Amino acid sequence: VSEYKNKKCIVLDCDNTLWKGVVGEDGFDKIEMSNRTSDGAIFHEIQSLALKLHKQGVLLCLCSKNNLQDVEKVLKKNKDMLIRENYIAIKKINWFNKFENIKEIAEELNIGLESLVFLDDSPFEVNMIKENLPEVSSYQVPEQLSDYPKQFRSIMNLFYSPSTSYEDQNKTLMYKQQNRREASKKKFMDINDYLSSLSINIVLFK
């Protein structure tokens, strides 16, 4: 792990990265992330550590080749899922190349690619990012699952957080609000129409 603690965002795959199994193939009820099973407990710990990063102001993003509805069902309805929708700054759940999705994540967050860490269980996907986006720090989930929490704790050292402020804890909400504003802006050709859509009231005091 690099000694430079300049990372701001961690981009996580879903299947066999946040939970054991492939939700689109195994089904909603068959994936594991419960601390009541030996393998599930490992993924439960990974999610707990990811939430610890979130509380320090690190942005959590998802990038997974999956059906969006399948992943959203897990986020909303799986009782063992610790990472919920409100903790996620951006999610790219589709079948496009992951390096294109990750480029979009950096652009939408308005941060450099060197600020991102990518974690995936697939050697193909990790190598694809290393080749196409070498600025991103990319890691593969260990084949020996018991080594996974140790690896994740090592990755956490890339994120520098001397203190946790109110602003740090609300970064995800701030970015989501900014992304909604940018999306709204694209709908309007004229800046005045866009500003009118925001329904901003200005009160002048003499």
Side-chain angles (χ1 to χ4, degrees):
V1 174
S2 169
E3 63 181 348
Y4 298 107
K5 300 183 178 184
N6 61 348
K7 306 300 181 182
K8 299 176 183 177
C9 172
I10 185 164
V11 181
L12 300 162
D13 178 38
C14 293
D15 296 326
N16 292 309
T17 302
L18 285 181
W19 54 73
K20 183 182 180 183
V22 179
V23 66
E25 297 176 7
D26 300 328
F28 175 82
D29 297 323
K30 298 297 183 182
I31 57 174
E32 277 189 75
M33 59 193 118
S34 167
N35 58 6
R36 296 181 298 277
T37 67
S38 57
D39 285 346
I42 291 172
F43 291 95
H44 184 91
E45 182 177 357
I46 294 301
Q47 290 198 30
S48 297
L49 294 172
L51 286 183
K52 185 176 180 180
L53 284 176
H54 169 75
K55 290 176 182 177
Q56 293 173 356
V58 174
L59 295 161
L60 301 185
C61 294
L62 301 185
C63 182
S64 174
K65 287 182 176 175
N66 240 313
N67 294 318
L68 179 60
Q69 300 93 324
D70 290 340
V71 172
E72 288 190 333
K73 183 179 179 181
V74 176
L75 291 172
K76 294 173 183 175
K77 296 185 178 181
N78 191 296
K79 65 183 185 303
D80 295 314
M81 187 74 184
L82 298 179
I83 297 175
R84 299 290 180 178
E85 184 77 42
N86 56 309
Y87 298 128
I88 301 164
I90 295 175
K91 61 180 188 293
K92 299 286 183 181
I93 312 297
N94 51 48
W95 299 98
F96 301 135
N97 285 326
K98 288 195 177 183
F99 67 86
E100 295 289 354
N101 281 327
I102 290 174
K103 279 171 65 178
E104 287 184 8
I105 287 172
E107 289 168 6
E108 291 173 25
L109 293 175
N110 195 27
I111 59 178
L113 288 166
E114 70 281 354
S115 299
L116 272 61
V117 173
F118 172 63
L119 182 60
D120 197 300
D121 68 299
S122 166
F124 172 82
E125 298 292 358
V126 171
N127 288 330
M128 180 77 78
I129 301 305
K130 286 182 176 179
E131 289 179 9
N132 289 277
L133 302 175
E135 306 96 323
V136 176
S137 297
S138 302
Y139 297 89
Q140 183 186 341
V141 175
E143 291 185 13
Q144 185 66 40
L145 203 54
S146 59
D147 294 333
Y148 192 14
K150 180 181 178 181
Q151 181 208 47
F152 198 95
R153 290 177 190 279
S154 180
I155 290 171
M156 290 174 74
N157 291 325
L158 291 168
F159 299 91
Y160 179 63
S161 182
S163 63
T164 304
S165 66
Y166 175 82
E167 183 176 311
D168 288 334
Q169 294 174 343
N170 288 274
K171 273 183 183 175
T172 297
L173 178 60
M174 290 162 56
Y175 276 109
K176 283 191 170 188
Q177 290 171 339
Q178 175 64 20
N179 285 335
R180 282 197 291 268
R181 286 193 291 270
E182 290 298 324
S184 296
K185 190 188 294 184
K186 290 176 183 177
K187 294 179 183 177
F188 299 94
M189 296 296 288
D190 184 84
I191 188 66
N192 292 320
D193 291 339
Y194 166 65
L195 292 173
S196 298
S197 76
L198 296 177
S199 301
I200 298 173
N201 295 316
I202 300 175
V203 180
L204 299 176
F205 293 95
K206 292 184 177 179

